[in-house]
Amino acid sequence: MRTRLILLFALLSAMGLRAQEYTKYLFVYFPSNDNENIYYALSTKEKPFDFIPMNNGQMVVSADTIALKHGVRDPHVLRGDDGWFYMVNTDMRCAEGWASNRGIVLMRSRDLVSWQHSTVHFPEKYKGTNFANVTRVWAPETIWDPVARKYMVYFSLLTNDGTIPYDKVFYCYANEDFTDLEGEPTYFYDRGSATIDMDIVYNEKDQLYHGFYKNEGSHGICKVTARSLTPAKGEAPGSQWSAPSGTLQQTKVGVEGAGVWRLIDSGAWILMYDCYGSGYYQFCESEDLSHFTLKAQTQTKGMFTPRHGTVLPVTDAEVERLEKAFAVK
């Protein structure tokens, strides 16, 4: 009987895994400096770099409804193990200048269609501290911290009072319902000069966190690694990270907005980045997250002009909901 129960459990588990099999990729992005809203595009696992915009190439979330600045940039989406999707965005309008934003937008959804949202306005939340003096809070992202058992939100900060003289990466933990940040920002990482657009993934093979970021000095993508997201007790903030790699992009033009994701049915990773001055996105493949080969160079034109965003593998059921809400006609 015990053997039968074990086999039944294994069968049900396998059925559950098949039911959650990923079949397509969802690209979440904003399209331009004069259109800072959230857009979706889909690709197939057979042609992962050929994205087709959803909703007839129109926005799926209007920044006017969610952001204090009525503009959002750099959307990052995380699939939580708790059944929620978590999105964070830069709350900014480019027309007001590159040092015009003062906070971020936190969002949460069960279905990738309807989103709860709240804003974190640093001058108000951190009044009386140096964090109230931010001139920008850029490119927030979210990752689950298994030690703290909380969602960590990390972002780059610059202040106008000299306490943070160039863009450095800080983090906070989100509260339980993902509507606010807990406590003051904690220093996370910087390379000694402006460090932005950090994207962190965990690789089970080497049991390391890999943090990709834009090296503003060379306009390239570099990487650091760590055994844990936060330093060991008694160690200095930021000391958990390795020395930085060299640049990883497979082009000589300026790049930004690194995003790293796994191919479906494969152990391979994809590093994508926006060749923002050249009119294309590049997608590079790696087995070890250190050595990358260019796989595709996708032109950004017509209805598909993605800027810094996220690619998320999705299931048939999720695609069905998305297509019902944002059908391509």
Side-chain angles (χ1 to χ4, degrees):
M1 177 63 74
R2 185 170 183 270
T3 301
R4 289 180 180 176
L5 288 173
I6 292 173
L7 289 173
L8 178 61
F9 178 77
L11 177 61
L12 291 172
S13 297
M15 290 172 64
L17 287 173
R18 282 197 295 272
Q20 291 298 313
E21 182 181 3
Y22 301 128
T23 56
K24 292 189 177 182
Y25 301 96
L26 175 67
F27 197 164
V28 183
Y29 60 94
F30 79 102
S32 70
N33 288 338
D34 58 3
N35 185 354
E36 293 155 308
N37 300 284
I38 296 172
Y39 283 64
Y40 286 172
L42 282 175
S43 70
T44 66
K45 64 180 180 181
E46 292 79 19
K47 295 182 178 180
F49 314 120
D50 296 340
F51 288 94
I52 299 175
M54 303 196 74
N55 204 33
N56 297 316
Q58 301 300 309
M59 70 181 75
V60 299
V61 180
S62 170
D64 284 345
T65 66
I66 60 173
L68 296 178
K69 287 287 185 176
H70 303 288
V72 290
R73 303 169 65 91
D74 321 315
H76 178 263
V77 183
L78 176 73
R79 179 190 295 274
D81 290 335
D82 55 2
W84 288 94
F85 295 94
Y86 296 90
M87 189 193 304
V88 286
N89 303 267
T90 306
D91 189 340
M92 175 178 167
R93 182 175 287 275
C94 175
E96 297 181 14
W98 294 112
S100 64
N101 85 296
R102 301 292 183 265
I104 62 177
V105 181
L106 304 178
M107 303 172 67
R108 189 170 70 157
S109 174
R110 287 285 190 186
D111 58 9
L112 293 167
V113 175
S114 300
W115 292 90
Q116 304 171 7
H117 61 88
S118 59
T119 57
V120 181
H121 186 57
F122 279 53
E124 180 181 344
K125 180 173 178 62
Y126 297 114
K127 187 176 182 179
T129 76
N130 67 314
F131 299 113
N133 301 321
V134 293
T135 56
R136 55 187 183 226
V137 186
W138 274 359
E141 296 204 5
T142 306
I143 190 170
W144 173 254
D145 184 343
V147 177
R149 299 195 60 77
K150 294 181 179 182
Y151 287 102
M152 173 188 284
V153 180
Y154 54 96
F155 38 81
S156 62
L157 288 182
L158 175 70
T159 63
N160 61 12
D161 60 1
T163 59
I164 305 175
Y166 56 86
D167 303 90
K168 300 183 180 185
V169 185
F170 286 73
Y171 75 88
C172 289
Y173 290 107
N175 64 357
E176 189 173 352
D177 58 4
F178 209 71
T179 58
D180 202 357
L181 302 178
E182 297 180 343
E184 292 185 4
T186 298
Y187 172 75
F188 203 27
Y189 175 74
D190 77 272
R191 65 180 188 89
S193 57
T195 305
I196 64 171
D197 294 356
M198 197 168 194
D199 181 49
I200 303 171
V201 296
Y202 182 73
N203 185 12
E204 293 85 355
K205 284 186 178 180
D206 58 19
Q207 298 184 334
L208 289 174
Y209 290 96
H210 294 250
F212 297 78
Y213 61 91
K214 182 182 179 183
N215 177 330
E216 281 279 66
S218 66
H219 303 285
I221 305 298
C222 297
K223 186 192 75 167
V224 288
T225 60
R227 287 287 174 192
S228 61
L229 286 170
T230 54
K233 187 176 181 180
E235 297 295 321
S239 63
Q240 68 271 33
W241 296 107
S242 69
S245 71
T247 53
L248 301 171
Q249 73 275 9
Q250 304 299 298
T251 179
K252 294 182 179 179
V253 305
V255 301
E256 65 184 12
V260 182
W261 41 282
R262 273 200 177 105
L263 287 177
I264 298 168
D265 299 332
S266 168
W269 295 85
I270 298 298
L271 166 64
M272 69 178 189
Y273 42 79
D274 179 7
C275 301
Y276 55 91
S278 303
Y280 55 84
Y281 242 87
Q282 284 193 338
F283 299 86
C284 305
E285 185 174 321
S286 175
E287 295 291 337
D288 61 6
L289 286 172
S290 294
H291 304 88
F292 291 89
T293 303
L294 180 64
K295 297 297 289 185
Q297 183 167 295
T298 302
Q299 295 296 311
T300 54
K301 60 184 180 180
M303 289 195 302
F304 185 61
T305 59
R307 302 298 307 275
H308 187 175
T310 310
V311 168
L312 184 75
V314 287
T315 67
D316 278 338
E318 290 162 351
V319 169
E320 184 177 354
R321 285 198 300 268
L322 289 168
E323 289 182 335
K324 184 177 180 180
F326 310 117
V328 177
K329 299 179 182 178

mmCIF file with all atom_site columns, all heavy atoms in Angstrom, residues 124-141:
data_model
loop_
_atom_site.group_PDB
_atom_site.id
_atom_site.type_symbol
_atom_site.label_atom_id
_atom_site.label_alt_id
_atom_site.label_comp_id
_atom_site.label_asym_id
_atom_site.label_entity_id
_atom_site.label_seq_id
_atom_site.pdbx_PDB_ins_code
_atom_site.Cartn_x
_atom_site.Cartn_y
_atom_site.Cartn_z
_atom_site.occupancy
_atom_site.B_iso_or_equiv
_atom_site.pdbx_formal_charge
_atom_site.auth_seq_id
_atom_site.auth_comp_id
_atom_site.auth_asym_id
_atom_site.auth_atom_id
_atom_site.pdbx_PDB_model_num
ATOM 1   N N   . GLU A 1 124 ? 9.095  61.461 0.896   1.00 0.00 ? 124 GLU A N   1
ATOM 2   C CA  . GLU A 1 124 ? 8.080  61.408 1.946   1.00 0.00 ? 124 GLU A CA  1
ATOM 3   C C   . GLU A 1 124 ? 8.347  60.269 2.931   1.00 0.00 ? 124 GLU A C   1
ATOM 4   O O   . GLU A 1 124 ? 8.330  60.468 4.152   1.00 0.00 ? 124 GLU A O   1
ATOM 5   C CB  . GLU A 1 124 ? 6.703  61.227 1.318   1.00 0.00 ? 124 GLU A CB  1
ATOM 6   C CG  . GLU A 1 124 ? 5.564  61.147 2.323   1.00 0.00 ? 124 GLU A CG  1
ATOM 7   C CD  . GLU A 1 124 ? 4.219  60.948 1.641   1.00 0.00 ? 124 GLU A CD  1
ATOM 8   O OE1 . GLU A 1 124 ? 4.114  61.178 0.421   1.00 0.00 ? 124 GLU A OE1 1
ATOM 9   O OE2 . GLU A 1 124 ? 3.271  60.555 2.340   1.00 0.00 ? 124 GLU A OE2 1
ATOM 10  N N   . LYS A 1 125 ? 8.646  59.095 2.401   1.00 0.00 ? 125 LYS A N   1
ATOM 11  C CA  . LYS A 1 125 ? 8.820  57.920 3.258   1.00 0.00 ? 125 LYS A CA  1
ATOM 12  C C   . LYS A 1 125 ? 10.046 58.065 4.158   1.00 0.00 ? 125 LYS A C   1
ATOM 13  O O   . LYS A 1 125 ? 10.018 57.654 5.322   1.00 0.00 ? 125 LYS A O   1
ATOM 14  C CB  . LYS A 1 125 ? 8.950  56.656 2.401   1.00 0.00 ? 125 LYS A CB  1
ATOM 15  C CG  . LYS A 1 125 ? 9.134  55.382 3.232   1.00 0.00 ? 125 LYS A CG  1
ATOM 16  C CD  . LYS A 1 125 ? 9.094  54.127 2.387   1.00 0.00 ? 125 LYS A CD  1
ATOM 17  C CE  . LYS A 1 125 ? 9.324  52.887 3.235   1.00 0.00 ? 125 LYS A CE  1
ATOM 18  N NZ  . LYS A 1 125 ? 8.281  52.694 4.272   1.00 0.00 ? 125 LYS A NZ  1
ATOM 19  N N   . TYR A 1 126 ? 11.111 58.651 3.619   1.00 0.00 ? 126 TYR A N   1
ATOM 20  C CA  . TYR A 1 126 ? 12.373 58.723 4.365   1.00 0.00 ? 126 TYR A CA  1
ATOM 21  C C   . TYR A 1 126 ? 12.701 60.143 4.811   1.00 0.00 ? 126 TYR A C   1
ATOM 22  O O   . TYR A 1 126 ? 13.866 60.518 4.942   1.00 0.00 ? 126 TYR A O   1
ATOM 23  C CB  . TYR A 1 126 ? 13.499 58.141 3.514   1.00 0.00 ? 126 TYR A CB  1
ATOM 24  C CG  . TYR A 1 126 ? 13.278 56.680 3.200   1.00 0.00 ? 126 TYR A CG  1
ATOM 25  C CD1 . TYR A 1 126 ? 13.054 56.249 1.893   1.00 0.00 ? 126 TYR A CD1 1
ATOM 26  C CD2 . TYR A 1 126 ? 13.254 55.728 4.215   1.00 0.00 ? 126 TYR A CD2 1
ATOM 27  C CE1 . TYR A 1 126 ? 12.834 54.909 1.608   1.00 0.00 ? 126 TYR A CE1 1
ATOM 28  C CE2 . TYR A 1 126 ? 13.042 54.387 3.945   1.00 0.00 ? 126 TYR A CE2 1
ATOM 29  C CZ  . TYR A 1 126 ? 12.826 53.986 2.642   1.00 0.00 ? 126 TYR A CZ  1
ATOM 30  O OH  . TYR A 1 126 ? 12.613 52.654 2.373   1.00 0.00 ? 126 TYR A OH  1
ATOM 31  N N   . LYS A 1 127 ? 11.664 60.925 5.048   1.00 0.00 ? 127 LYS A N   1
ATOM 32  C CA  . LYS A 1 127 ? 11.838 62.306 5.504   1.00 0.00 ? 127 LYS A CA  1
ATOM 33  C C   . LYS A 1 127 ? 12.733 62.348 6.737   1.00 0.00 ? 127 LYS A C   1
ATOM 34  O O   . LYS A 1 127 ? 12.567 61.574 7.681   1.00 0.00 ? 127 LYS A O   1
ATOM 35  C CB  . LYS A 1 127 ? 10.477 62.915 5.824   1.00 0.00 ? 127 LYS A CB  1
ATOM 36  C CG  . LYS A 1 127 ? 10.517 64.401 6.154   1.00 0.00 ? 127 LYS A CG  1
ATOM 37  C CD  . LYS A 1 127 ? 9.114  64.958 6.360   1.00 0.00 ? 127 LYS A CD  1
ATOM 38  C CE  . LYS A 1 127 ? 9.159  66.451 6.640   1.00 0.00 ? 127 LYS A CE  1
ATOM 39  N NZ  . LYS A 1 127 ? 7.793  67.020 6.812   1.00 0.00 ? 127 LYS A NZ  1
ATOM 40  N N   . GLY A 1 128 ? 13.711 63.260 6.727   1.00 0.00 ? 128 GLY A N   1
ATOM 41  C CA  . GLY A 1 128 ? 14.625 63.380 7.858   1.00 0.00 ? 128 GLY A CA  1
ATOM 42  C C   . GLY A 1 128 ? 15.888 62.555 7.706   1.00 0.00 ? 128 GLY A C   1
ATOM 43  O O   . GLY A 1 128 ? 16.779 62.633 8.563   1.00 0.00 ? 128 GLY A O   1
ATOM 44  N N   . THR A 1 129 ? 15.997 61.770 6.627   1.00 0.00 ? 129 THR A N   1
ATOM 45  C CA  . THR A 1 129 ? 17.205 60.988 6.360   1.00 0.00 ? 129 THR A CA  1
ATOM 46  C C   . THR A 1 129 ? 17.782 61.409 5.007   1.00 0.00 ? 129 THR A C   1
ATOM 47  O O   . THR A 1 129 ? 17.146 62.111 4.235   1.00 0.00 ? 129 THR A O   1
ATOM 48  C CB  . THR A 1 129 ? 16.897 59.474 6.324   1.00 0.00 ? 129 THR A CB  1
ATOM 49  O OG1 . THR A 1 129 ? 16.248 59.146 5.082   1.00 0.00 ? 129 THR A OG1 1
ATOM 50  C CG2 . THR A 1 129 ? 15.999 59.069 7.486   1.00 0.00 ? 129 THR A CG2 1
ATOM 51  N N   . ASN A 1 130 ? 19.000 60.926 4.723   1.00 0.00 ? 130 ASN A N   1
ATOM 52  C CA  . ASN A 1 130 ? 19.605 61.263 3.432   1.00 0.00 ? 130 ASN A CA  1
ATOM 53  C C   . ASN A 1 130 ? 18.841 60.651 2.263   1.00 0.00 ? 130 ASN A C   1
ATOM 54  O O   . ASN A 1 130 ? 18.915 61.158 1.136   1.00 0.00 ? 130 ASN A O   1
ATOM 55  C CB  . ASN A 1 130 ? 21.069 60.808 3.391   1.00 0.00 ? 130 ASN A CB  1
ATOM 56  C CG  . ASN A 1 130 ? 21.222 59.298 3.422   1.00 0.00 ? 130 ASN A CG  1
ATOM 57  O OD1 . ASN A 1 130 ? 20.579 58.621 4.229   1.00 0.00 ? 130 ASN A OD1 1
ATOM 58  N ND2 . ASN A 1 130 ? 22.082 58.768 2.573   1.00 0.00 ? 130 ASN A ND2 1
ATOM 59  N N   . PHE A 1 131 ? 18.073 59.590 2.517   1.00 0.00 ? 131 PHE A N   1
ATOM 60  C CA  . PHE A 1 131 ? 17.333 58.948 1.430   1.00 0.00 ? 131 PHE A CA  1
ATOM 61  C C   . PHE A 1 131 ? 16.159 59.810 0.942   1.00 0.00 ? 131 PHE A C   1
ATOM 62  O O   . PHE A 1 131 ? 15.589 59.535 -0.109  1.00 0.00 ? 131 PHE A O   1
ATOM 63  C CB  . PHE A 1 131 ? 16.830 57.573 1.869   1.00 0.00 ? 131 PHE A CB  1
ATOM 64  C CG  . PHE A 1 131 ? 17.944 56.639 2.237   1.00 0.00 ? 131 PHE A CG  1
ATOM 65  C CD1 . PHE A 1 131 ? 18.101 56.215 3.556   1.00 0.00 ? 131 PHE A CD1 1
ATOM 66  C CD2 . PHE A 1 131 ? 18.847 56.196 1.288   1.00 0.00 ? 131 PHE A CD2 1
ATOM 67  C CE1 . PHE A 1 131 ? 19.133 55.360 3.901   1.00 0.00 ? 131 PHE A CE1 1
ATOM 68  C CE2 . PHE A 1 131 ? 19.882 55.344 1.619   1.00 0.00 ? 131 PHE A CE2 1
ATOM 69  C CZ  . PHE A 1 131 ? 20.031 54.926 2.942   1.00 0.00 ? 131 PHE A CZ  1
ATOM 70  N N   . ALA A 1 132 ? 15.832 60.851 1.709   1.00 0.00 ? 132 ALA A N   1
ATOM 71  C CA  . ALA A 1 132 ? 14.817 61.796 1.242   1.00 0.00 ? 132 ALA A CA  1
ATOM 72  C C   . ALA A 1 132 ? 15.379 62.716 0.168   1.00 0.00 ? 132 ALA A C   1
ATOM 73  O O   . ALA A 1 132 ? 14.619 63.396 -0.527  1.00 0.00 ? 132 ALA A O   1
ATOM 74  C CB  . ALA A 1 132 ? 14.294 62.622 2.409   1.00 0.00 ? 132 ALA A CB  1
ATOM 75  N N   . ASN A 1 133 ? 16.708 62.736 0.035   1.00 0.00 ? 133 ASN A N   1
ATOM 76  C CA  . ASN A 1 133 ? 17.362 63.654 -0.894  1.00 0.00 ? 133 ASN A CA  1
ATOM 77  C C   . ASN A 1 133 ? 17.715 62.993 -2.221  1.00 0.00 ? 133 ASN A C   1
ATOM 78  O O   . ASN A 1 133 ? 18.642 63.432 -2.909  1.00 0.00 ? 133 ASN A O   1
ATOM 79  C CB  . ASN A 1 133 ? 18.633 64.213 -0.245  1.00 0.00 ? 133 ASN A CB  1
ATOM 80  C CG  . ASN A 1 133 ? 18.338 64.943 1.054   1.00 0.00 ? 133 ASN A CG  1
ATOM 81  O OD1 . ASN A 1 133 ? 17.336 65.646 1.165   1.00 0.00 ? 133 ASN A OD1 1
ATOM 82  N ND2 . ASN A 1 133 ? 19.193 64.766 2.047   1.00 0.00 ? 133 ASN A ND2 1
ATOM 83  N N   . VAL A 1 134 ? 17.004 61.943 -2.580  1.00 0.00 ? 134 VAL A N   1
ATOM 84  C CA  . VAL A 1 134 ? 17.321 61.247 -3.821  1.00 0.00 ? 134 VAL A CA  1
ATOM 85  C C   . VAL A 1 134 ? 17.054 62.141 -5.032  1.00 0.00 ? 134 VAL A C   1
ATOM 86  O O   . VAL A 1 134 ? 16.076 62.898 -5.065  1.00 0.00 ? 134 VAL A O   1
ATOM 87  C CB  . VAL A 1 134 ? 16.510 59.930 -3.973  1.00 0.00 ? 134 VAL A CB  1
ATOM 88  C CG1 . VAL A 1 134 ? 16.928 58.922 -2.929  1.00 0.00 ? 134 VAL A CG1 1
ATOM 89  C CG2 . VAL A 1 134 ? 15.016 60.191 -3.927  1.00 0.00 ? 134 VAL A CG2 1
ATOM 90  N N   . THR A 1 135 ? 17.945 62.054 -5.994  1.00 0.00 ? 135 THR A N   1
ATOM 91  C CA  . THR A 1 135 ? 17.688 62.672 -7.294  1.00 0.00 ? 135 THR A CA  1
ATOM 92  C C   . THR A 1 135 ? 17.224 61.624 -8.294  1.00 0.00 ? 135 THR A C   1
ATOM 93  O O   . THR A 1 135 ? 16.678 61.979 -9.335  1.00 0.00 ? 135 THR A O   1
ATOM 94  C CB  . THR A 1 135 ? 18.945 63.362 -7.840  1.00 0.00 ? 135 THR A CB  1
ATOM 95  O OG1 . THR A 1 135 ? 20.018 62.422 -7.895  1.00 0.00 ? 135 THR A OG1 1
ATOM 96  C CG2 . THR A 1 135 ? 19.333 64.520 -6.948  1.00 0.00 ? 135 THR A CG2 1
ATOM 97  N N   . ARG A 1 136 ? 17.443 60.353 -7.995  1.00 0.00 ? 136 ARG A N   1
ATOM 98  C CA  . ARG A 1 136 ? 16.864 59.286 -8.801  1.00 0.00 ? 136 ARG A CA  1
ATOM 99  C C   . ARG A 1 136 ? 16.930 57.951 -8.067  1.00 0.00 ? 136 ARG A C   1
ATOM 100 O O   . ARG A 1 136 ? 17.840 57.701 -7.273  1.00 0.00 ? 136 ARG A O   1
ATOM 101 C CB  . ARG A 1 136 ? 17.540 59.175 -10.160 1.00 0.00 ? 136 ARG A CB  1
ATOM 102 C CG  . ARG A 1 136 ? 19.051 59.005 -10.148 1.00 0.00 ? 136 ARG A CG  1
ATOM 103 C CD  . ARG A 1 136 ? 19.551 59.079 -11.576 1.00 0.00 ? 136 ARG A CD  1
ATOM 104 N NE  . ARG A 1 136 ? 20.978 58.869 -11.693 1.00 0.00 ? 136 ARG A NE  1
ATOM 105 C CZ  . ARG A 1 136 ? 21.786 59.619 -12.428 1.00 0.00 ? 136 ARG A CZ  1
ATOM 106 N NH1 . ARG A 1 136 ? 21.305 60.667 -13.083 1.00 0.00 ? 136 ARG A NH1 1
ATOM 107 N NH2 . ARG A 1 136 ? 23.068 59.346 -12.525 1.00 0.00 ? 136 ARG A NH2 1
ATOM 108 N N   . VAL A 1 137 ? 15.921 57.116 -8.351  1.00 0.00 ? 137 VAL A N   1
ATOM 109 C CA  . VAL A 1 137 ? 15.826 55.743 -7.841  1.00 0.00 ? 137 VAL A CA  1
ATOM 110 C C   . VAL A 1 137 ? 15.544 54.886 -9.073  1.00 0.00 ? 137 VAL A C   1
ATOM 111 O O   . VAL A 1 137 ? 14.420 54.839 -9.555  1.00 0.00 ? 137 VAL A O   1
ATOM 112 C CB  . VAL A 1 137 ? 14.681 55.591 -6.815  1.00 0.00 ? 137 VAL A CB  1
ATOM 113 C CG1 . VAL A 1 137 ? 14.706 54.195 -6.198  1.00 0.00 ? 137 VAL A CG1 1
ATOM 114 C CG2 . VAL A 1 137 ? 14.774 56.650 -5.731  1.00 0.00 ? 137 VAL A CG2 1
ATOM 115 N N   . TRP A 1 138 ? 16.560 54.230 -9.576  1.00 0.00 ? 138 TRP A N   1
ATOM 116 C CA  . TRP A 1 138 ? 16.472 53.618 -10.897 1.00 0.00 ? 138 TRP A CA  1
ATOM 117 C C   . TRP A 1 138 ? 16.368 52.091 -10.877 1.00 0.00 ? 138 TRP A C   1
ATOM 118 O O   . TRP A 1 138 ? 16.970 51.409 -10.027 1.00 0.00 ? 138 TRP A O   1
ATOM 119 C CB  . TRP A 1 138 ? 17.701 54.003 -11.724 1.00 0.00 ? 138 TRP A CB  1
ATOM 120 C CG  . TRP A 1 138 ? 17.569 55.305 -12.442 1.00 0.00 ? 138 TRP A CG  1
ATOM 121 C CD1 . TRP A 1 138 ? 16.495 56.139 -12.442 1.00 0.00 ? 138 TRP A CD1 1
ATOM 122 C CD2 . TRP A 1 138 ? 18.561 55.929 -13.271 1.00 0.00 ? 138 TRP A CD2 1
ATOM 123 N NE1 . TRP A 1 138 ? 16.756 57.243 -13.226 1.00 0.00 ? 138 TRP A NE1 1
ATOM 124 C CE2 . TRP A 1 138 ? 18.001 57.138 -13.747 1.00 0.00 ? 138 TRP A CE2 1
ATOM 125 C CE3 . TRP A 1 138 ? 19.858 55.587 -13.652 1.00 0.00 ? 138 TRP A CE3 1
ATOM 126 C CZ2 . TRP A 1 138 ? 18.709 58.009 -14.588 1.00 0.00 ? 138 TRP A CZ2 1
ATOM 127 C CZ3 . TRP A 1 138 ? 20.558 56.444 -14.491 1.00 0.00 ? 138 TRP A CZ3 1
ATOM 128 C CH2 . TRP A 1 138 ? 19.988 57.641 -14.952 1.00 0.00 ? 138 TRP A CH2 1
ATOM 129 N N   . ALA A 1 139 ? 15.625 51.576 -11.865 1.00 0.00 ? 139 ALA A N   1
ATOM 130 C CA  . ALA A 1 139 ? 15.607 50.152 -12.256 1.00 0.00 ? 139 ALA A CA  1
ATOM 131 C C   . ALA A 1 139 ? 15.472 49.191 -11.079 1.00 0.00 ? 139 ALA A C   1
ATOM 132 O O   . ALA A 1 139 ? 16.324 48.332 -10.865 1.00 0.00 ? 139 ALA A O   1
ATOM 133 C CB  . ALA A 1 139 ? 16.865 49.827 -13.062 1.00 0.00 ? 139 ALA A CB  1
ATOM 134 N N   . PRO A 1 140 ? 14.379 49.282 -10.298 1.00 0.00 ? 140 PRO A N   1
ATOM 135 C CA  . PRO A 1 140 ? 14.186 48.327 -9.197  1.00 0.00 ? 140 PRO A CA  1
ATOM 136 C C   . PRO A 1 140 ? 13.911 46.918 -9.724  1.00 0.00 ? 140 PRO A C   1
ATOM 137 O O   . PRO A 1 140 ? 13.359 46.741 -10.817 1.00 0.00 ? 140 PRO A O   1
ATOM 138 C CB  . PRO A 1 140 ? 12.957 48.883 -8.476  1.00 0.00 ? 140 PRO A CB  1
ATOM 139 C CG  . PRO A 1 140 ? 12.190 49.595 -9.553  1.00 0.00 ? 140 PRO A CG  1
ATOM 140 C CD  . PRO A 1 140 ? 13.233 50.203 -10.445 1.00 0.00 ? 140 PRO A CD  1
ATOM 141 N N   . GLU A 1 141 ? 14.320 45.918 -8.956  1.00 0.00 ? 141 GLU A N   1
ATOM 142 C CA  . GLU A 1 141 ? 14.015 44.526 -9.259  1.00 0.00 ? 141 GLU A CA  1
ATOM 143 C C   . GLU A 1 141 ? 13.714 43.797 -7.959  1.00 0.00 ? 141 GLU A C   1
ATOM 144 O O   . GLU A 1 141 ? 14.005 44.289 -6.865  1.00 0.00 ? 141 GLU A O   1
ATOM 145 C CB  . GLU A 1 141 ? 15.169 43.837 -10.002 1.00 0.00 ? 141 GLU A CB  1
ATOM 146 C CG  . GLU A 1 141 ? 15.446 44.433 -11.359 1.00 0.00 ? 141 GLU A CG  1
ATOM 147 C CD  . GLU A 1 141 ? 16.142 43.465 -12.306 1.00 0.00 ? 141 GLU A CD  1
ATOM 148 O OE1 . GLU A 1 141 ? 16.327 42.278 -11.936 1.00 0.00 ? 141 GLU A OE1 1
ATOM 149 O OE2 . GLU A 1 141 ? 16.501 43.886 -13.423 1.00 0.00 ? 141 GLU A OE2 1
#
